[in-house]
Amino acid sequence: MVVEILDRPEEVDLLSELCDSLGWPVRLPMQDETRIVPDAGWALRIVEGRIQAVRDGSVEQAVASFDAHARAVALSAHCRDAALVERVNRPLAEWQMRGRSASARQRLWQLAHFIAGSGEHDQDLGTVRLVRVPLDQEESGRRRQARARWTARAELSRHSIPNRRRDPDRHTLRQPKARTGWQLTATVGLVVGFALIVIAAFGKWEDLGFNSHGAAQSLVIVMAAYVTIGTVLAIRGTVTHRAVPWILPALIPASIPLTTWLGVQVQQRYLYSFGISAETTDGLGTVRAGLWVLWVACGTVLLAVSYVGWIRYLNSSTDPRTMWMMWTPPLTLGALFGVAMAGIVLFTAGRAGWAAREAEATGNVTGNYFGLQAGHVCLRFVSEDAPFFGVRPPEDRALVTFGPNGDRIDVWVPPVNGADRGRSASIRLEDAQITYVENAQSPCPKPAQFR
């Protein structure tokens, strides 16, 4: 910002104190830096306002912030011109200069001289120096790597201290292996996290011991920390980071009906195997089923974003302007996989419904599935011409139901001796007398007991 200030020592000192408190450097204009000519009795100063994570509207924000602080301290200064100066994040390649490795005999000889203090040991053996050199993204990969190695060699060779100067006969130049190991660890975390999401989508956590205390729960905690920290690393210093305080409160009201709707979809997929429609009630089971889908889908998206955050944090040679380090690819890929994982959850719910149907057909009692508990009833029509949908329910044996659905009750007719695959029916509550029985083998009351 080109700031015009009253040319008085007390005003200039006050400007310096104000900018120091804000962490904004202030200086005199350099030659040909600005063409603005101050009025008589006024002077120009250049104020570098540091605005992070904002590009659009950053100039207006910096000028407004300066004017507000100037009015607060009664400073006779105003902004004449302002421009955005962006920092160029050039990718860097790291190289290490290490003393050449020696044989075991040489190391013992070195250790003996070092302990004796004879001064005859090689002081360069095992020493490490790190240098970072910029990369030129316009060149090809091999040429860029060769140029970075040559630059690092030249940087290390011109050191003024003799025992720190690079000697090709006593030193080696290589890229650090520790950073490569950390990047490999981040990739392993991505693979393990995706595997856990797939396991959760297929509902296999019980088979792997996720319901019991032990290593499985510890692994889930570690992966939750991996995703959380990686997401923070990915969004820090971006516009999204500044928007998080109002994005999260805005998403909470929208997530409540979304969770309920997703839970109903899971229950409908489960009951579809019985040919029964879901009871649209907002129960705890519906919320739990919706959180299952939401957790799998959002976890997939955040996993992709967190991986990019870890790679950008661990790899200084990665150019953030390249395609795979920008927001669009990880978000798009994560969203596609998230939708696929949500579809797998619905497939898992349908498969669980078919398993429950087979169990009911063989006379076994099925357990609770996200608030859905199969019950058994005996029906008796109040009249011979009572209407029904589907097949006419038999009155001489128990039927499977999941409770009333409004003013109707949907039932599933188990097969007799495996003769068919079972059929579904629906009748109004006022057209039938309903008696709940214990299980599918329970005898139904005789017709005389209804009248």
Side-chain angles (χ1 to χ4, degrees), residues 40-227:
W42 293 79
L44 295 180
R45 292 293 186 273
I46 302 297
V47 177
E48 299 178 3
R50 305 295 175 85
I51 304 296
Q52 295 184 356
V54 174
R55 190 179 189 278
D56 298 333
S58 58
V59 175
E60 293 80 1
Q61 181 177 344
V63 172
S65 179
F66 176 79
D67 291 341
H69 285 91
R71 287 194 302 268
V73 298
L75 178 65
S76 300
H78 55 274
C79 182
R80 291 285 302 271
D81 193 12
L84 174 63
V85 179
E86 294 186 272
R87 182 180 62 182
V88 178
N89 294 321
R90 296 190 64 185
L92 302 174
E94 292 186 350
W95 293 87
Q96 281 183 346
M97 182 185 73
R98 286 182 172 269
R100 288 188 180 275
S101 59
S103 62
R105 180 182 176 182
Q106 290 175 324
R107 290 184 180 275
L108 292 175
W109 185 257
Q110 289 271 63
L111 180 61
H113 279 284
F114 177 76
I115 295 176
S118 62
E120 297 182 9
H121 63 281
D122 186 2
Q123 297 181 359
D124 294 326
L125 184 64
T127 58
V128 178
R129 272 197 67 206
L130 182 68
V131 64
R132 292 185 176 95
V133 295
L135 294 177
D136 189 359
Q137 292 297 111
E138 302 299 330
E139 297 179 341
S140 61
R142 290 186 177 182
R143 185 176 180 84
R144 182 168 61 245
Q145 187 80 353
R147 185 180 294 275
R149 186 183 183 91
W150 180 86
T151 306
R153 185 185 297 114
E155 181 71 21
L156 293 170
S157 298
R158 67 169 63 102
H159 204 283
S160 58
I161 303 176
N163 63 347
R164 297 290 283 173
R165 189 181 299 119
R166 180 180 177 273
D167 186 352
D169 296 331
R170 304 174 67 182
H171 298 96
T172 59
L173 191 66
R174 67 185 186 188
Q175 288 187 317
K177 294 182 179 180
R179 186 172 296 274
T180 305
W182 282 113
Q183 294 176 13
L184 180 61
T185 303
T187 305
V188 171
L190 172 68
V191 175
V192 173
F194 188 72
L196 290 178
I197 291 176
V198 172
I199 291 172
F202 280 100
K204 295 295 185 179
W205 50 77
E206 293 183 1
D207 299 338
L208 298 179
F210 282 90
N211 287 350
S212 60
H213 298 280
Q217 288 189 348
S218 301
L219 181 60
V220 172
I221 294 174
V222 170
M223 292 312 304
Y226 172 88
V227 173

Side-chain angles (χ1 to χ4, degrees), residues 360-399:
E360 289 290 342
T362 56
N364 297 319
V365 179
T366 58
N368 186 292
Y369 189 83
F370 293 104
L372 298 177
Q373 179 64 53
H376 302 86
V377 295
C378 292
L379 299 181
R380 168 63 76 182
F381 287 94
V382 296
S383 62
E384 294 296 333
D385 56 348
F388 60 89
F389 290 94
V391 299
R392 182 181 179 89
E395 303 178 62
D396 57 345
R397 54 194 176 98
L399 310 176

